[in-house]
Amino acid sequence: MSHASPWWTPHVHGDRRPFLLGRNRIQSALRRFFDERDFIEVDTATLQVSPGNEAHLHAFATQALNHDGSADPFYLHTSPEFACKKLIAAGEKRIACFAHVYRNRERGPLHHPEFTMLEWYRAGETYETLMRDCAEILTLAAQTTGVSQFTFQGRTCDPFAEPERLAVAEAFKRFAKIDLLASIASNGETDRDALASAMVSAGLRVAADDNWADLFSRVLVEKVEPHLGFGRATILDEYPVAEAALARPTARDRRVAERFELYACGVELANAFGELTDAAEQRRRFEMEMTEKARVYGETYPLDEDFLAALAIMPEASGIALGFDRLVMLATGASRIDQVLWAPVAETAS
C-alpha cells in the first residue's frame, strides 16, 4: 500500500482545502455560466450497457444481479456522452452535465480512476460555438480564483488571451516536419507506409508492427502536444477522420473531421465534436474501434444498440467533454489531480 499520509489527516486536508474551495467556486460559476445561456443541467446514470467504444479507453466492469440469480453485464461509464446524446434525440436543445466518470489503467498527476467530466451539447449549433465557450470558460475560471495566469509544472498560459486555432496537419508540419494529409486518401482511409516513411525521414522511430494510428499517436504525443497551450491556449482542430470516431467530416476536406481538443500549459483540457449523426457510419466506426481493441488488448466492449437507435433521430449538434478537475488544477495552481478531489480513490498496492 502507499505510505503517503491519508488525504483525510488534518494536516494533509489543511494543505488541500484551498484547492477544494477553489473547485467549489469554479463549479458554482460554471453552473451560473450555463444557466445564463439557457442550458439545462442533466444527470445521467453511471451504469451503462456499454462504457464507450474507443479502442484505448479502459472501463470498470460489474454486473447486475436479477431475482433468479442470473447476472447481466454492466460498466461504469467512461463518459456521459451516450446518455446525453439520447437526451438531445429526445428533444433537449442545450444541456450540461457534471458527471463522475471512470477510467481504468489511469492514475498519475493528471489522471485519476474516478474524475469529473463536464460535458455540454448544443443542438443545431456549430462546433465553432464550442470554441467560444472554451475561451469564455478559461477566463471565467481565472476570474473566479483571482489569478492572472494558469500554471502547471513551471509552464504558463494566459487564460484571458484568445486561443490559437491550429489544424492537426499544420501542427504536424510545424513541429514534426511531416505532411500528415499525404498519408490520408480522399475517402479518409490511411496509408501506414506513407506515414512511416515520413516519420523515418523526420528521425522518428517506427516499429514493424505499428499501424497508422500508432504512428499518428506517437507524433502527436512526442512532437506536437509538448508545444501546445503555452502563452495562450491552443485549439487543436481538424483531426483526421480515422482519429475522430464520433465526429462528422468537415465540409471543406472529407479527410479531416470536426473535432478539436483544447490545451493549456501543455495539458489537454477538452475534446469537442461536430457530432456524427449517421447511425450506420457510427456503427461501422465503433466496430473498427473494437477490432483494434481486440487486436491490442484482447477484449472488446458491447455496442449500445439503444444509443445507435437514438442517433438515427438525433438532430445536428455539437458537443464537448472537459476535464473539470484539470481546469481546477490550472486555475488554483495545484500540481496533482488528487489535490483538487474532495475524497480521492484509495491507492492500491503497486
Side-chain angles (χ1 to χ4, degrees), residues 210-240:
D210 282 336
N211 62 21
W212 186 92
D214 297 328
L215 299 174
F216 173 86
S217 179
R218 183 168 304 136
V219 178
L220 188 69
V221 171
E222 294 182 8
K223 292 293 184 180
V224 175
E225 287 186 332
H227 299 282
L228 303 181
F230 300 116
R232 59 175 171 154
T234 301
I235 289 171
L236 188 66
D237 188 22
E238 295 189 351
Y239 276 66

Side-chain angles (χ1 to χ4, degrees), residues 59-141:
F60 290 88
T62 186
Q63 52 185 211
L65 299 178
N66 301 310
H67 288 301
D68 63 3
S70 62
D72 293 318
F74 274 86
Y75 298 87
L76 304 185
H77 65 178
T78 58
S79 157
E81 178 173 6
F82 290 179
C84 285
K85 287 183 176 177
K86 290 172 187 177
L87 289 169
I88 295 295
E92 295 295 339
K93 302 299 184 187
R94 292 183 178 182
I95 59 174
C97 178
F98 284 96
H100 278 234
V101 300
Y102 306 83
R103 297 190 177 181
N104 224 333
R105 303 194 188 199
E106 295 192 14
R107 190 156 197 155
L110 287 168
H111 296 87
H112 205 71
E114 177 180 354
F115 62 98
T116 299
M117 189 86 85
L118 168 60
E119 294 201 9
W120 67 99
Y121 292 81
R122 291 175 172 270
E125 299 182 74
T126 67
Y127 85 135
E128 283 85 2
T129 309
L130 301 176
M131 298 180 189
R132 291 195 293 274
D133 290 340
C134 285
E136 292 175 5
I137 283 172
L138 294 179
T139 295
L140 178 63

